[in-house]
Amino acid sequence: MTLTLYNTLTRRQEPFETVEPGKVKMYYCGVTVYDYCHLGHARACIVWDVIRRYLQFIGYEVRYIQNFTDIDDKILNRACVEHSSMEVVADRFIKAYFEDMARLGIKEADEYPRATHTMNGIQRLIHELENKGFAYPADGDVYYAVRQFAEYGKLSGRKLEDMQAGKSDAYGGLRQRVNVEDPEYQKKKDPFDFALWKAAKPGEPAWESPWGAGRPGWHIECSAMVRDRLGDTIDIHAGGADLIFPHHENEIAQSEAVTGKPLARYWLHNGMVKVDGEKMSKSLGNFTTIRDLLDRGVDPMAVRLFVLTAQYRTPIDFTDEAIAAATNGWHTIKEGLLFGYQYGKQLGWGVGTASLLAETVERFQETVNNDFNFPGGLTVLFELAKELRREGNIIVHEGKTETSPDELQRQWQTLVTLAGVLGLEAEIEAETQTSNGLSDAEIEAKIQQRQEARKGKNFAESDRIRDELQAQGITLIDSRDGTRWHRN
């Protein structure tokens, strides 16, 4: 079973072969920390989190680096509005980032380099580019000479001659707009050249450099951080599809002009998030942050499931119906994950881990090995969870099982393991508490409240009531005939 990946650089699916056998060096272009993370960040971080988990599951040692852009015009603008500083704004939203990702169950990266902490590496790389004839100074700025790099455009497939000023492109709109009155344009030798270093402006943070006080351009920071933390060539460079051009294209030009080596063997890009069929943006009023979504009562695991039900390279559409479907799907998987804690003792399971179902694990791995086909992997999880739920209902109503306890333990352990690969985990402690003495009438009243919420399509309230009862040892079983319940 060979893992194959779609490589944006080659535009084809290829067998995965690492620079160093058994080890993966992976870099993800992280967030610019000027605001709270939104649904697009949620998708990207979940996708790369699960890819990292899966690579570890199949035996790779993964070193995973994710950066923070903590010097940027948007950060400076926010600091100005708040009468604060760039550092204060960046620190606040880095803290918020970790809070949001913890709620989504995102494992922390091995390291989080920041642009402001990488100045030596940034300046060293610019100096080498200048010495090799790929960069030139201009009144305190330093620009990359795009036409000096013969392979410019190889990642995006775009050619400079097709990106002339005022010329329409295949993607809609103009590829290059030039204002000849712009002082920056007048400094450049070519309109396609981009800034590696920007001269200091009054009132802005600045660092001393051989070209004068200033700060780095956006693209150079990732090239420097990759090189400093992972070396000249890495295995996977990851990011959103919106970063292919110009950010990742410029990274390649910067890094490979200096090292003469490929920056990354595989370039992976996740698709974008739409909201009700439209691009998410603040101007359209459909901009949703992670914390707003979770604070409305949406289960973080339902968000993960929603993301994983789509192939990671394709766009996904965030709708109330999609989240409701993901929530229902999560309840199915969650019931399977709780099976062992609810019935294991009754079934006489011993302490320890049972062996996994080899054929099921093999089928899961064979499916996911096809360009990280997580939707196909979820199909395997749903099959296990539904079977365990069916057996749980039989235990409740008949006091026995149709499948041997040993086989059920293997099914459950397999589900827990594979769900863990996808980062899907049930909160065991809350879910396995015993009843606090609710009367039958109180339970029925809660169920009636839940039914009213479901009729009104208030799925968040419906889920809250269900989870509240589950935490108190009351399990609900929905069917076409209504809702039954039992005390655990």
Side-chain angles (χ1 to χ4, degrees):
M1 294 184 293
T2 301
L3 172 62
T4 60
L5 316 181
Y6 181 84
N7 189 349
T8 305
L9 181 65
T10 61
R11 296 165 187 78
R12 64 174 181 265
Q13 199 159 316
E14 303 172 338
F16 185 56
E17 296 179 1
T18 57
V19 174
E20 186 177 352
K23 295 184 178 181
V24 175
K25 293 184 288 185
M26 181 174 175
Y27 181 88
Y28 163 50
C29 281
V31 299
T32 301
V33 284
Y34 72 98
D35 205 345
Y36 294 108
C37 289
H38 53 66
L39 296 180
H41 297 131
R43 186 192 193 182
C45 291
I46 289 170
V47 163
W48 308 125
D49 174 66
V50 175
I51 285 177
R52 175 199 189 184
R53 288 171 183 258
Y54 183 72
L55 290 171
Q56 292 173 327
F57 171 69
I58 61 177
Y60 285 102
E61 178 185 328
V62 181
R63 178 157 174 74
Y64 179 57
I65 305 296
Q66 177 185 331
N67 79 302
F68 287 122
T69 295
D70 61 346
I71 172 67
D72 181 86
D73 288 341
K74 293 177 181 177
I75 302 173
L76 294 172
N77 290 341
R78 182 148 195 161
C80 181
V81 169
E82 296 179 353
H83 304 289
S84 181
S85 69
M86 178 192 74
E87 185 176 10
V88 168
V89 171
D91 286 346
R92 181 165 89 251
F93 288 112
I94 287 174
K95 179 176 181 291
Y97 169 89
F98 284 116
E99 292 170 351
D100 292 343
M101 296 305 148
R103 294 176 73 180
L104 289 174
I106 306 292
K107 292 172 63 176
E108 289 194 6
D110 294 306
E111 192 175 353
Y112 291 93
R114 296 168 60 162
T116 58
H117 297 173
T118 317
M119 286 299 163
N120 289 338
I122 290 171
Q123 292 189 17
R124 183 171 62 250
L125 188 55
I126 296 173
H127 181 67
E128 291 178 76
L129 285 167
E130 190 177 12
N131 286 343
K132 287 178 177 285
F134 289 92
Y136 58 91
D139 296 331
D141 295 341
V142 182
Y143 293 98
Y144 185 94
V146 168
R147 293 186 188 275
Q148 294 296 106
F149 187 68
E151 294 184 290
Y152 191 82
K154 65 180 180 179
L155 181 68
S156 62
R158 303 178 186 184
K159 299 179 181 180
L160 292 178
E161 56 266 29
D162 295 331
M163 298 190 292
Q164 297 298 323
K167 200 172 186 178
S168 63
D169 63 20
Y171 299 86
L174 301 178
R175 179 55 54 220
Q176 182 82 6
R177 295 179 176 88
V178 173
N179 177 6
V180 295
E181 302 298 327
D182 186 346
E184 182 178 358
Y185 170 74
Q186 296 175 354
K187 290 183 180 182
K188 294 180 180 181
K189 293 181 179 180
D190 189 287
F192 293 110
D193 295 347
F194 58 88
L196 301 172
W197 188 261
K198 300 178 180 181
K201 295 179 181 179
E204 288 187 356
W207 288 259
E208 291 301 321
S209 81
W211 313 281
R215 59 184 174 94
W218 175 36
H219 311 298
I220 193 67
E221 66 180 65
C222 283
S223 285
M225 285 187 269
V226 169
R227 191 182 187 195
D228 284 359
R229 268 68 179 191
L230 296 172
D232 291 343
T233 300
I234 66 175
D235 298 296
I236 295 175
H237 197 306
D242 58 327
L243 297 180
I244 295 173
F245 187 88
H247 185 53
H248 289 167
E249 194 75 74
N250 290 351
E251 277 189 65
I252 288 174
Q254 293 164 158
S255 298
E256 297 186 7
V258 167
T259 67
K261 303 174 183 177
L263 173 55
R265 282 198 167 190
Y266 303 89
W267 288 83
L268 308 186
H269 294 93
N270 64 275
M272 297 295 98
V273 174
K274 295 182 178 181
V275 177
D276 291 323
E278 292 186 296
K279 181 180 178 181
M280 184 175 63
S281 72
K282 290 182 178 179
S283 62
L284 292 175
N286 62 1
F287 184 88
T288 302
T289 66
I290 294 171
R291 54 185 53 202
D292 284 344
L293 180 66
L294 300 183
D295 288 347
R296 294 207 307 259
V298 176
D299 194 307
M301 293 296 104
V303 178
R304 288 188 78 102
L305 192 63
F306 163 70
V307 168
L308 296 174
T309 52
Q311 208 282 339
Y312 80 95
R313 291 189 288 110
T314 63
I316 56 173
D317 196 3
F318 182 89
T319 65
D320 290 340
E321 292 77 14
I323 285 296
T327 300
N328 290 335
W330 166 239
H331 283 312
T332 297
I333 292 177
K334 183 169 68 172
E335 285 186 46
L337 293 174
L338 295 175
F339 181 90
Y341 299 97
Q342 293 173 327
Y343 307 113
K345 185 175 181 181
Q346 181 179 342
L347 294 171
W349 290 358
V351 178
T353 302
S355 61
L356 305 183
L357 298 173
E359 290 185 3
T360 302
V361 173
E362 183 177 342
R363 185 157 56 91
F364 174 84
Q365 188 172 331
E366 185 175 357
T367 300
V368 176
N369 273 353
N370 181 15
D371 194 26
F372 297 122
N373 180 10
F374 297 123
L378 281 172
T379 299
V380 177
L381 267 65
F382 277 114
E383 290 175 2
L384 289 168
K386 288 177 181 178
E387 178 61 22
L388 289 169
R389 181 176 63 182
R390 188 183 71 83
E391 291 285 352
N393 288 337
I394 294 173
I395 292 172
V396 169
H397 297 290
E398 300 180 18
K400 60 180 183 179
T401 63
E402 291 184 351
T403 307
S404 71
D406 288 346
E407 180 67 12
L408 287 175
Q409 187 172 11
R410 294 182 68 200
Q411 289 179 8
W412 178 70
Q413 192 64 57
T414 301
L415 174 62
V416 170
T417 299
L418 298 183
V421 174
L422 304 184
L424 297 170
E425 299 177 353
E427 295 183 4
I428 305 304
E429 293 182 5
E431 300 290 349
T432 55
Q433 293 176 0
T434 59
S435 171
N436 67 352
L438 287 177
S439 68
D440 289 0
E442 289 173 325
I443 294 170
E444 293 291 350
K446 291 282 187 183
I447 291 174
Q448 183 60 37
Q449 291 174 19
R450 178 170 174 266
Q451 288 173 341
E452 293 299 323
R454 294 176 75 185
K455 287 179 182 178
K457 294 187 177 182
N458 188 349
F459 298 110
E461 176 65 10
S462 168
D463 295 340
R464 186 196 66 75
I465 295 171
R466 179 192 181 104
D467 292 344
E468 177 187 337
L469 290 172
Q470 187 75 53
Q472 298 179 67
I474 309 297
T475 295
L476 304 184
I477 302 171
D478 295 319
S479 69
R480 284 180 292 182
D481 300 324
T483 299
R484 293 176 288 113
W485 60 271
H486 67 84
R487 299 180 192 270
N488 297 337

